[in-house]
Amino acid sequence: MCVKWLPLMDAPLDISAPWVQKSAPARKLRDDSVAQVQPALSGLPDVLPQNSQRLLREVLTAREFELTENYTANELLAKLQSRELSSEELTRAFLRRAALAHAATNCLTELQWDDAIERAKYLDSLPEPIGPLHGLPISTKEHQGTKGRNKTTNASYVAYDAGCVFFARTTQPQAIMHLETVSNIYGRTTNPYNNTLTPGGSSGGESALIGIRGSLLGLGGDIGGSIRVPAAHCGIYGLKPSDQRLPLSGAAGHMFGKETILATNGPMSTDRDSLSLFMKVVLDAQPWRLEPALKVAPWIPYRFTRPLKIAVQWTDCVVQPHPPMIRALREVSEACKASGHTIVEWNCGKLNHQKGWELLESLFYPDGGKYVRDLMKQAGEPILPLTKWIMEQVHVKDLTMHELWKACSEREAYRMMYAKAWSATADEDGQEVDVILCPPNFGAATPHKQSKYWGYSSIWNLLDYPGVVFPVTTVDPAKDPKDAMYKPRNAEDEFVYHLYDPATFKDAPVGLQVIGRRHCDEKVMAALELIENAMGRK
Amino acid sequence: MCVKWLPLMDAPLDISAPWVQKSAPARKLRDDSVAQVQPALSGLPDVLPQNSQRLLREVLTAREFELTENYTANELLAKLQSRELSSEELTRAFLRRAALAHAATNCLTELQWDDAIERAKYLDSLPEPIGPLHGLPISTKEHQGTKGRNKTTNASYVAYDAGCVFFARTTQPQAIMHLETVSNIYGRTTNPYNNTLTPGGSSGGESALIGIRGSLLGLGGDIGGSIRVPAAHCGIYGLKPSDQRLPLSGAAGHMFGKETILATNGPMSTDRDSLSLFMKVVLDAQPWRLEPALKVAPWIPYRFTRPLKIAVQWTDCVVQPHPPMIRALREVSEACKASGHTIVEWNCGKLNHQKGWELLESLFYPDGGKYVRDLMKQAGEPILPLTKWIMEQVHVKDLTMHELWKACSEREAYRMMYAKAWSATADEDGQEVDVILCPPNFGAATPHKQSKYWGYSSIWNLLDYPGVVFPVTTVDPAKDPKDAMYKPRNAEDEFVYHLYDPATFKDAPVGLQVIGRRHCDEKVMAALELIENAMGRK
């Protein structure tokens, strides 16, 4: 056996168990692939520091560090197009940084060493760039697949045709339905800023990798927060577009044909512009011509011609956000106000996010979780605690056909109620709220095994509203003391309240979320630009 | 009791049956409303002629005839806007023509005499027109509802706000799932060109009414052909847009929350431009702001800058179209060719429309028809033969949740296969087929009780492709002899083959269907304009 112990799991592997045997080749592939890194990683301490960012200068060469640390994807693409930089040199630098990220956080399922270098050399050999992503290394969450690797999503095909170099595949949790990243096959992935915390999930391999700049641009997926929560937890950007905007077909996964709540792919990156770049490249290829479930809609950048009207959601009235999240909201909304934008409150009291979550429970698993349980039983694989937790929510139920119709009707009624509330924001001054600024999660990256409230991210999946997450600050014990006076509203709120202690969240990034109305993906990105401008960023 | 015998039903009403008692008020409302017409209809013969069009000059005044016969909706709107014509005069003319249409075809569930005249007077009293439909009488299929009548659809609200006058509600079949129009409440609706034939269904009250110009513009609905088949059978225009383009909410109906195949509303009219006008008026109101299931997409007219590439579907390779349909295809495609458009063949052989129909059977009734049967049982209402027929198709089955997921996956796979075939039409010459020209039904209006093959219309519901029907010709015994040599492929084909005899279809209109790719609704309307130009029409 190639692995005797999976990182950070509760129990050692029972090597005699059939599922361990069955999954051994996957671990071997992963370990062998990471071992290919040249030159081998050296300078790693025996005991890893809590904050992995400290390892970079010890292990990488100065040139590798410079190439992977100092530029945005767009800047690198310009250098690649002008041939100032070869794709091979850049790819080798990111391969080594990704290997280091993996050593620190256990974020990879495969380092595509040979293929990536071969692809980079091929691209370098061409007389002209073949597309807008020419030569850029891109990472993908495992279930997305990449050219030549098991199944391949249409989104990956398009990025490939645009000239990218797939170089790393990243971890995802069991059944792809945790806001953490842990599986019986690969163990647990940790946060690159603090290894006692989760990088989030389900796209937590991506967020850990991109959070340490082991990749600048990756492809994740989101059905309840799986792009936005890991992006927030690792201090990066992540976009969940509206459903049926980006191609999905070809993804490995489960419950195909379940349409009660749809998953969507989306980009994750170290910078904002790369998100729009990815959307534009994929939608320029008119993916709806092959995948007819997609909306026929090219990516058309939006420009605001007046200040924003931003609604700030301070709480969802179910679970109170932790102090650093409230501070982030305050800092950003004050900066926006100072720049001339209008700030109003998004009052969730009447909008019943609790009801929204109850609907989601039943829409996530309209078969009561039977399909997933059967799959695990068949494989003989133990069900992990967070898998069990989500499938055992009160409203998860094996629905009859007519109960299913009722649930879908209730979902539509909820969406209609929310749409009316949003439209009503124009009643007073004639200007409708442009975006909602809100927490992507109750707090910064959660300690392992504790990610048990999804409401701040998943409500926007229920509504199919596009959302983008951006980094704002980090937890600061001096500024973010615990509110000793707070009285929790309910059991979940109490659980979340007791999780908070500034020391626990040392160095943890804090991100916020910008939400737009359905199909207003471009508007969300335009609003984020203005918000970041107000924060003094480019 | 107010009605002792429902038109053209197989058996007299059993007046003691509870469901007859329960539905009596609906019949009384209808009969009383029609009796309000002033002056009362006179000049009707004791025995109605087979072709109702002959009655018009006998019953209407010269002025009523002129107003209702000679203008398009746009021409009338211009006269209304300029105050050359009052809404009241126009509305009274259409009310009387609609009452005549009803006497001839049994197409109404209510003539909204008082409300319509009051509304028209109100509109006439205003200093300025209130919207683009100011003063125009509009009819609606019963389940759509209109302002002040039971439930009201958002589409009706928008038309109302744009200034229309709702004046007539029209019949629909039991369970709204026949391609004919017959119910235990109101009896059978007949074709205004030949009362031994159906006006089609389920929007057959609309098609009968509009087919005799008792209304110029009405609102129907389509889940398997329910706008397009009646439009074709009555010599009018009808547009089935892509799903989730027009508002649906507020419609009375059943199986809410069933999302396997969606119904869509759509306009039906005596002319082509009124279809686009209706779409523009409704989408200008941004209905997605209140009904978030809708696609965010205003109506943006499309302009072709080169000749069309039209694929002609001569047969669906399951059931052979009747000779008049083949002649219509030939005449239109030859006219298009003569005008410089490219004509290719749409070969359905590889596309397996039979499989498409089998998928539809299960997607129409994923509960095996249980919900509808229970409703009827509860009401004690007899199930009509065509209701029974559609629910007893081989693949109608009460699906388990996992069977449902499989069916939805198969639907998506079928859509993807079809999309690839369409995209591949660009392979040879770089120009993709713009539209498919095809029969909307196997033949002209079917004799009553025989509408048992839906494939020509329903395949486009499965694919969610927009389709518009337009009138082409009428059955001509001299030009459309039976093909005595034809050997049917299968039992359905044999049934359809034996239905044909030129004498049966005397005076019956023949329409054709223009189909576009998903979400290309505007392109379909633009193509129809070029096709009709090629036919020598405006």
Side-chain angles (χ1 to χ4, degrees):
Chain A
M1 298 304 301
C2 59
V3 170
K4 296 213 174 56
W5 177 249
L6 291 176
L8 293 174
M9 299 297 278
D10 292 328
L13 285 185
D14 170 9
I15 293 185
S16 66
W19 73 267
V20 174
Q21 307 248 357
K22 210 170 150 190
S23 56
R27 281 186 295 276
K28 182 165 163 32
L29 175 89
R30 189 262 296 266
D31 294 344
D32 290 352
S33 80
V34 175
Q36 281 187 288
V37 70
Q38 287 292 337
L41 300 182
S42 65
L44 281 170
D46 289 342
V47 176
L48 292 170
Q50 198 176 60
N51 187 332
S52 312
Q53 310 285 353
R54 304 201 179 126
L55 297 169
L56 293 161
R57 287 179 187 273
E58 319 285 326
V59 177
L60 300 179
T61 67
R63 174 66 172 164
E64 284 168 350
F65 185 76
E66 186 235 334
L67 284 176
T68 53
E69 185 74 15
N70 294 344
Y71 308 105
T72 66
N74 268 328
E75 288 164 348
L76 290 174
L77 283 167
K79 288 179 194 290
L80 287 162
Q81 298 263 337
S82 69
R83 300 289 161 107
E84 181 191 330
L85 179 65
S86 78
S87 178
E88 185 183 350
E89 186 183 13
L90 186 68
T91 299
R92 284 180 183 273
F94 275 107
L95 281 164
R96 282 199 86 231
R97 189 157 176 151
L100 171 57
H102 178 67
T105 68
N106 187 38
C107 62
L108 298 186
T109 65
E110 185 183 1
L111 190 70
Q112 295 162 273
W113 182 270
D114 288 338
D115 287 351
I117 292 174
E118 185 189 324
R119 166 80 170 161
K121 282 182 174 167
Y122 165 75
L123 293 168
D124 287 335
S125 76
L126 297 175
E128 295 292 335
I130 63 168
L133 299 182
H134 185 89
L136 186 74
I138 283 185
S139 53
T140 52
K141 186 178 177 183
E142 191 192 13
H143 76 105
Q144 299 288 350
T146 49
K147 190 89 183 171
R149 283 291 176 282
N150 311 329
K151 293 192 147 210
T152 307
T153 57
N154 280 338
S156 301
Y157 271 122
V158 171
Y160 186 86
D161 289 345
C164 84
V165 176
F166 288 121
F167 78 111
R169 301 179 67 198
T170 58
T171 50
Q172 60 198 23
Q174 185 181 52
I176 328 184
M177 284 292 277
H178 305 186
L179 291 184
E180 302 195 6
T181 298
V182 56
S183 72
N184 288 317
I185 303 177
Y186 300 116
R188 188 178 296 280
T189 305
T190 60
N191 192 302
Y193 284 89
N194 180 334
N195 60 16
T196 70
L197 305 174
T198 179
S202 67
S203 311
E206 280 302 317
S207 65
L209 178 65
I210 299 171
I212 201 167
R213 296 184 70 94
S215 166
L216 300 191
L217 177 57
L219 181 56
D222 194 316
I223 196 172
S226 285
I227 286 172
R228 292 160 292 145
V229 172
H233 285 2
C234 294
I236 64 171
Y237 294 79
L239 172 65
K240 178 197 86 68
S242 302
D243 293 342
Q244 301 178 318
R245 195 82 201 268
L246 287 182
L248 255 187
S249 72
H254 54 270
M255 303 200 282
F256 288 113
K258 177 188 74 89
E259 300 179 333
T260 41
I261 288 289
L262 298 178
T264 172
N265 287 338
M268 302 169 73
S269 177
T270 46
D271 71 287
R272 186 185 68 233
D273 290 345
S274 295
L275 304 182
S276 302
L277 171 69
F278 184 87
M279 295 299 290
K280 184 166 164 35
V281 166
V282 174
L283 295 178
D284 275 356
Q286 305 190 312
W288 51 83
R289 294 184 66 236
L290 291 176
E291 196 170 323
L294 302 180
K295 188 183 174 207
V296 176
W299 183 260
I300 302 174
Y302 187 90
R303 286 262 148 231
F304 285 95
T305 53
R306 47 160 182 72
L308 298 175
K309 183 169 176 180
I310 302 170
V312 178
Q313 180 204 303
W314 297 96
T315 172
D316 70 356
C317 298
V318 182
V319 159
Q320 184 66 9
H322 286 171
M325 205 48 92
I326 301 287
R327 176 171 59 84
L329 282 173
R330 197 171 53 239
E331 288 176 6
V332 174
S333 59
E334 280 172 6
C336 288
K337 210 171 195 169
S339 289
H341 302 296
T342 303
I343 303 291
V344 298
E345 285 202 15
W346 191 250
N347 185 345
C348 297
K350 292 179 197 163
L351 297 168
N352 206 347
H353 283 215
Q354 175 62 32
K355 166 79 176 168
W357 174 248
E358 290 166 8
L359 283 172
L360 271 171
E361 290 175 6
S362 101
L363 297 167
F364 278 145
Y365 292 107
D367 69 339
K370 195 171 174 313
Y371 188 88
V372 171
R373 273 197 202 88
D374 287 354
L375 270 186
M376 310 241 175
K377 211 170 181 179
Q378 241 177 325
E381 182 185 337
I383 298 189
L384 294 176
L386 286 179
T387 312
K388 198 162 141 54
W389 171 81
I390 184 73
M391 291 198 302
E392 286 181 354
Q393 293 294 298
V394 179
H395 296 84
V396 174
K397 204 193 140 189
D398 192 359
L399 303 177
T400 66
M401 189 64 68
H402 295 170
E403 286 169 341
L404 174 75
W405 296 356
K406 183 161 173 283
C408 291
S409 292
E410 286 179 355
R411 182 198 65 211
E412 287 311 300
Y414 191 86
R415 287 176 174 177
M416 200 169 296
M417 178 272 291
Y418 224 97
K420 282 183 182 163
W422 196 313
S423 295
T425 60
D427 285 354
E428 242 174 69
D429 58 359
Q431 191 185 335
E432 185 174 293
V433 158
D434 295 304
V435 288
I436 299 172
L437 179 69
C438 57
N441 192 245
F442 56 78
T446 318
H448 298 304
K449 308 184 197 175
Q450 310 299 323
S451 298
K452 290 185 181 171
Y453 182 70
W454 294 22
Y456 281 96
S457 54
S458 62
I459 191 75
W460 314 117
N461 297 87
L462 177 65
L463 293 165
D464 189 23
Y465 289 178
V468 63
V469 157
F470 63 110
V472 173
T473 182
T474 52
V475 176
D476 181 338
K479 295 180 182 168
D480 306 318
K482 191 171 173 101
D483 176 359
M485 308 298 293
Y486 182 73
K487 295 274 170 283
R489 292 177 174 91
N490 53 52
E492 276 168 317
D493 197 20
E494 189 161 6
F495 171 79
V496 166
Y497 174 71
H498 288 305
L499 266 183
Y500 188 67
D501 169 4
T504 308
F505 294 89
K506 190 170 154 43
D507 294 342
V510 177
L512 288 179
Q513 183 173 221
V514 177
I515 294 293
R517 295 192 77 155
R518 184 163 186 257
H519 290 172
C520 297
D521 307 43
E522 289 91 334
K523 199 170 173 180
V524 161
M525 290 305 301
L528 176 58
E529 182 174 354
L530 295 183
I531 291 168
E532 290 205 279
N533 292 162
M535 294 164 71
R537 299 178 184 172
K538 266 200 304 187
Chain B
M1 299 303 300
C2 60
V3 169
K4 296 213 176 54
W5 177 249
L6 292 178
L8 293 174
M9 299 297 277
D10 292 328
L13 285 185
D14 170 7
I15 293 184
S16 66
W19 73 266
V20 174
Q21 308 248 357
K22 209 171 151 192
S23 57
R27 282 185 295 276
K28 181 166 164 31
L29 175 89
R30 189 260 298 266
D31 294 344
D32 290 352
S33 80
V34 175
Q36 281 187 287
V37 70
Q38 288 292 339
L41 299 182
S42 65
L44 280 170
D46 289 341
V47 176
L48 292 172
Q50 198 176 61
N51 186 332
S52 312
Q53 309 285 353
R54 303 202 179 124
L55 299 169
L56 293 162
R57 288 179 187 274
E58 320 285 327
V59 178
L60 301 180
T61 67
R63 175 66 172 164
E64 284 167 350
F65 186 76
E66 188 235 333
L67 284 177
T68 54
E69 184 75 15
N70 294 344
Y71 308 104
T72 65
N74 268 327
E75 288 165 348
L76 290 174
L77 284 167
K79 287 178 194 291
L80 288 161
Q81 299 264 338
S82 69
R83 300 290 161 107
E84 180 191 331
L85 178 66
S86 78
S87 178
E88 184 183 351
E89 186 182 13
L90 186 68
T91 298
R92 284 180 182 275
F94 274 109
L95 281 163
R96 282 199 85 232
R97 190 158 177 151
L100 171 56
H102 178 66
T105 66
N106 187 38
C107 61
L108 298 186
T109 65
E110 185 184 1
L111 190 70
Q112 294 162 275
W113 183 270
D114 288 338
D115 287 351
I117 292 173
E118 186 189 325
R119 166 81 169 160
K121 281 182 175 166
Y122 165 74
L123 292 169
D124 287 334
S125 76
L126 298 174
E128 295 292 334
I130 64 167
L133 299 182
H134 185 89
L136 186 73
I138 283 185
S139 54
T140 52
K141 186 178 177 183
E142 191 193 15
H143 76 106
Q144 298 289 350
T146 50
K147 190 89 183 171
R149 283 291 175 285
N150 310 330
K151 294 194 147 209
T152 307
T153 57
N154 280 338
S156 301
Y157 271 121
V158 171
Y160 186 85
D161 289 345
C164 84
V165 176
F166 288 120
F167 78 111
R169 301 180 67 199
T170 58
T171 50
Q172 60 197 24
Q174 185 181 53
I176 329 183
M177 285 292 277
H178 305 186
L179 290 184
E180 303 194 6
T181 298
V182 56
S183 73
N184 288 317
I185 303 178
Y186 299 116
R188 188 179 295 281
T189 305
T190 60
N191 192 300
Y193 285 89
N194 179 334
N195 60 16
T196 70
L197 305 175
T198 179
S202 66
S203 310
E206 280 301 317
S207 66
L209 179 63
I210 299 171
I212 201 167
R213 295 184 70 95
S215 167
L216 300 191
L217 177 58
L219 181 55
D222 194 315
I223 197 173
S226 284
I227 286 172
R228 291 160 293 145
V229 171
H233 284 2
C234 294
I236 65 172
Y237 294 78
L239 172 65
K240 178 196 86 68
S242 302
D243 293 343
Q244 300 177 319
R245 195 81 200 268
L246 287 183
L248 254 187
S249 73
H254 54 270
M255 303 200 281
F256 289 111
K258 177 188 74 89
E259 300 179 333
T260 41
I261 288 290
L262 298 178
T264 172
N265 287 338
M268 301 169 74
S269 177
T270 46
D271 70 287
R272 186 185 66 234
D273 290 345
S274 295
L275 303 183
S276 301
L277 171 69
F278 184 86
M279 294 300 290
K280 184 167 165 31
V281 166
V282 174
L283 295 178
D284 275 356
Q286 306 189 311
W288 51 82
R289 294 183 66 237
L290 290 177
E291 195 171 325
L294 301 180
K295 189 185 175 206
V296 176
W299 183 260
I300 302 173
Y302 187 90
R303 286 263 146 229
F304 284 96
T305 53
R306 46 161 181 71
L308 299 175
K309 183 169 176 180
I310 302 170
V312 178
Q313 180 204 302
W314 296 95
T315 173
D316 71 356
C317 298
V318 183
V319 159
Q320 184 66 9
H322 285 171
M325 206 48 92
I326 300 287
R327 176 170 60 83
L329 282 173
R330 198 171 54 237
E331 287 176 5
V332 174
S333 60
E334 279 171 7
C336 288
K337 210 171 195 170
S339 289
H341 301 297
T342 303
I343 304 292
V344 297
E345 285 202 17
W346 190 252
N347 186 345
C348 296
K350 291 178 198 163
L351 297 168
N352 205 347
H353 283 215
Q354 175 62 33
K355 166 80 177 168
W357 174 248
E358 290 167 8
L359 283 172
L360 271 171
E361 289 175 5
S362 102
L363 297 167
F364 278 144
Y365 292 108
D367 69 339
K370 194 170 175 313
Y371 189 88
V372 171
R373 274 197 203 88
D374 286 353
L375 271 186
M376 309 241 174
K377 212 170 180 178
Q378 241 177 323
E381 182 185 337
I383 298 190
L384 294 175
L386 285 179
T387 312
K388 198 161 144 47
W389 172 80
I390 185 72
M391 292 198 301
E392 287 182 354
Q393 293 293 298
V394 178
H395 296 84
V396 174
K397 203 193 142 190
D398 192 359
L399 302 178
T400 66
M401 189 63 69
H402 294 171
E403 286 170 341
L404 175 75
W405 296 356
K406 183 161 174 283
C408 291
S409 292
E410 285 181 354
R411 183 199 65 212
E412 287 310 300
Y414 191 86
R415 288 176 174 177
M416 201 169 295
M417 179 273 292
Y418 223 96
K420 282 183 183 165
W422 195 313
S423 294
T425 60
D427 285 353
E428 241 173 69
D429 58 0
Q431 192 185 334
E432 186 173 293
V433 158
D434 294 303
V435 287
I436 298 172
L437 179 70
C438 57
N441 191 247
F442 57 78
T446 317
H448 298 303
K449 308 184 198 177
Q450 309 299 322
S451 298
K452 290 185 181 172
Y453 182 71
W454 294 22
Y456 281 97
S457 54
S458 62
I459 191 76
W460 314 116
N461 297 87
L462 177 65
L463 293 164
D464 188 22
Y465 288 178
V468 63
V469 157
F470 63 108
V472 174
T473 182
T474 53
V475 176
D476 180 338
K479 294 180 182 168
D480 305 318
K482 191 173 173 98
D483 176 1
M485 306 299 292
Y486 182 74
K487 295 274 169 285
R489 292 177 176 90
N490 52 54
E492 276 169 315
D493 196 21
E494 189 162 3
F495 171 80
V496 166
Y497 174 71
H498 288 306
L499 265 183
Y500 188 68
D501 168 3
T504 308
F505 293 88
K506 189 169 154 42
D507 293 341
V510 177
L512 288 179
Q513 183 174 221
V514 177
I515 294 293
R517 295 192 77 156
R518 184 164 185 255
H519 291 172
C520 297
D521 306 44
E522 289 91 336
K523 199 169 174 181
V524 161
M525 290 305 301
L528 175 59
E529 182 174 354
L530 295 184
I531 290 168
E532 289 205 280
N533 292 163
M535 293 164 72
R537 300 178 184 172
K538 268 201 301 188

